[in-house]
Amino acid sequence: VEPIDDASITAQVNMALLLHRSTSGLNSSVTTKRGVVTVKGKAGTALIKDQVTKFVKDVHGVKSVNNQMTVE
C-alpha cells in the first residue's frame, strides 16, 4: 500500500467537506502534516464541528484530526 502524501489528504478533506450539505458552506482552513489534519475556521454549531471531525476521519490516510474550529 502506497502512503498518501499530505497534499493529497488535504485535497481529499476539502472535497469531503464540500460534498456534505451540512459543511459545504464552511469557510475552513485545512492543513495536513504526516497524516494529522488540522481544521480551523468557524462552525455554526457544535454539531457541525463534530460532523467536520467525523468527515475528516473518514478520509483515507488521515491518522488523527485536530479540530480547532470555533463555534459561533
Side-chain angles (χ1 to χ4, degrees), residues 26 39-46 48-49 67-72:
L26 292 178
V39 184
K40 296 179 181 178
K42 295 177 183 172
T45 65
I48 291 174
K49 182 177 177 177
N67 189 336
Q68 297 179 2
M69 296 186 84
T70 56
V71 175
E72 296 184 6

Side-chain angles (χ1 to χ4, degrees), residues 10-57:
T10 298
Q12 288 181 46
V13 167
N14 280 322
M15 186 59 67
L17 294 178
L18 275 174
L19 290 175
H20 288 281
R21 194 165 20 129
S22 59
T23 57
S24 64
L26 292 178
N27 186 8
S28 58
S29 161
V30 177
T31 54
T32 308
K33 188 167 189 173
R34 294 191 201 102
V36 178
V37 177
T38 300
V39 184
K40 296 179 181 178
K42 295 177 183 172
T45 65
L47 176 63
I48 291 174
K49 182 177 177 177
D50 290 346
Q51 286 179 325
V52 167
T53 300
K54 179 188 176 306
F55 297 153
V56 172
K57 281 182 181 174

